[in-house]
Amino acid sequence: MNLDFSEQQLMIQQMVLDFANKEIKPHFQKWDEDQFFPVDLFKKAGELGLMGVLVPPEYGGAGLGYIEYILIIEEISKVCGAVGLSFAAHNSLCVNHILKFASESQKDKWLPNLASGKWIGSWGLTEPNTGSDAMRMKCVAEKDGDYWILNGSKNFITHGISSDIIVVIVRTGELLDSHGMTAFAVERGTKGFNAGKKEDKLGMRASETAEVIFDNCRVHKDNILGRVGEGFIQSMKILDGGRISIGAMALGMAEGAMNAAVDYSKQREQFGKAISKFQGISFKLADMATEIEASRLLLYKAAHHIKDPKNSNYFSAIAKYKASEVAVAVANDAVQVFGGYGYIKEFPVEKFYRDSKLSTIGEGTSEIQKLVISRAILKN
């Protein structure tokens, strides 16, 4: 596995860094305070290819791989984890599900709008009473001729209000049957497809999270992704890439928090010298850097194995588990380095501290990742 970035990858990294500094950094604290989801930002990002990172050029995408994708999410999340989360949800969940499982006609219909940033995508698996236990979902679809009638709700849906299309997994068969769920793509404006309550969150406040409600929503059979009964299996495969996304987001937030702590430790003086000169602070910084580099290497290894059906689940779970726990730990230590100022919203580590916690919950909790990892170990 080559750990050196190519010239193209370095150019992409710099482009995203410039974009984040120009379009996100001046506004992220205000967006967080107001819980404002910056839809126009994602349309600008579409012009740079950031809304279709993994999508081949024939569908209007950038045609890049997972290493580039990690770099992109990482650089954005160094500035704002909430914006990084929205990029990740759009690219790795909604867009990637269509890319992997849609027919050619479906790809031609939906991917160009999504990859260009004209549309924002969402993805729905979680329900009010089924998070990790997705096979007990109550959102159902019943066949009616050439149509399916969807009823039920999904919650914690990123872009649940503002998205133009959602890929939603609903039950079309028996409860607890892994082949009893189906994925549908439902466009905004479809009768019976409505947005519900917007969540008031601890962190990630500039990334819109809301309930989605289906009330006798008639969806044509042409909107089924893959075959009837494949939805749950598809979603588990999509979550392998999603874990890499959340890991990259966590990595970026950890780096952002560490960079802020390093800069502050050089400027802040106590007892006549910069606090970076004190071993208690410098050792914290050393631990941060070590854990961040370990997370990065695990993410690259997961990206290397993403197309390997035997190992992608295992390595993506390890990478996501490590990077997300590191993000929380680094953000916590960064607040400690700042002392009282770390508790003040004027300084960035307070936001990294709040935002980072989502990475240990979203797209599979840390406990679920340990379950995936331990099962892989014990079956050998």
Side-chain angles (χ1 to χ4, degrees), residues 20 83 86 98 151 190 219 246 269 272 295 336 339 345:
V83 175
S86 279
I98 293 171
N151 280 291
T190 302
V219 180
I246 297 299
E269 291 190 358
S295 298
Q336 202 69 18
K345 286 186 177 291

Side-chain angles (χ1 to χ4, degrees), residues 11-28 31 38-51 53 71-73 75-77 79-80 83-84 86-87 91 116-117:
M11 289 174 63
I12 291 169
Q13 185 182 42
Q14 186 62 50
M15 176 194 72
V16 178
L17 178 61
D18 293 342
F19 173 79
N21 284 333
K22 179 183 177 182
E23 303 291 348
I24 302 172
K25 197 168 187 177
H27 313 292
F28 75 93
W31 292 342
V39 173
D40 289 343
L41 172 75
F42 295 90
K43 298 187 183 301
K44 292 179 182 178
E47 297 172 4
L48 299 176
L50 301 181
M51 298 293 277
V53 178
L71 284 174
I72 289 166
I73 299 299
E75 290 300 324
I76 291 169
S77 302
V79 176
C80 180
V83 175
S86 279
F87 274 102
N91 276 284
S116 67

Side-chain angles (χ1 to χ4, degrees), residues 17 41 58 69 71 83 111 127 133 161 236 273-274 297 320 339:
L17 178 61
L41 172 75
E58 57 262 36
Y69 182 56
L71 284 174
V83 175
L111 285 179
E127 297 181 7
D133 189 12
I161 296 170
M236 293 301 102
K273 59 183 178 180
L297 290 173
K320 194 268 187 185

Side-chain angles (χ1 to χ4, degrees), residues 162-177:
S162 298
S163 60
D164 299 280
I165 188 171
I166 184 171
V167 173
V168 60
I169 294 86
V170 301
R171 187 159 58 81
T172 52
E174 296 299 318
L175 195 69
L176 300 178
D177 180 3

Side-chain angles (χ1 to χ4, degrees), residues 20 45 55 64 150 154 160 184 207 245 270 284 286 292 296 368 376:
V55 177
L64 300 174
L150 277 61
K154 298 288 181 178
F184 292 83
S207 179
S245 286
Q270 292 287 275
K284 279 188 187 297
I292 285 170
R296 177 178 285 109
I368 287 294

Side-chain angles (χ1 to χ4, degrees), residues 325-336:
E325 293 292 337
V326 164
V328 173
V330 168
N332 180 65
D333 279 347
V335 170
Q336 202 69 18

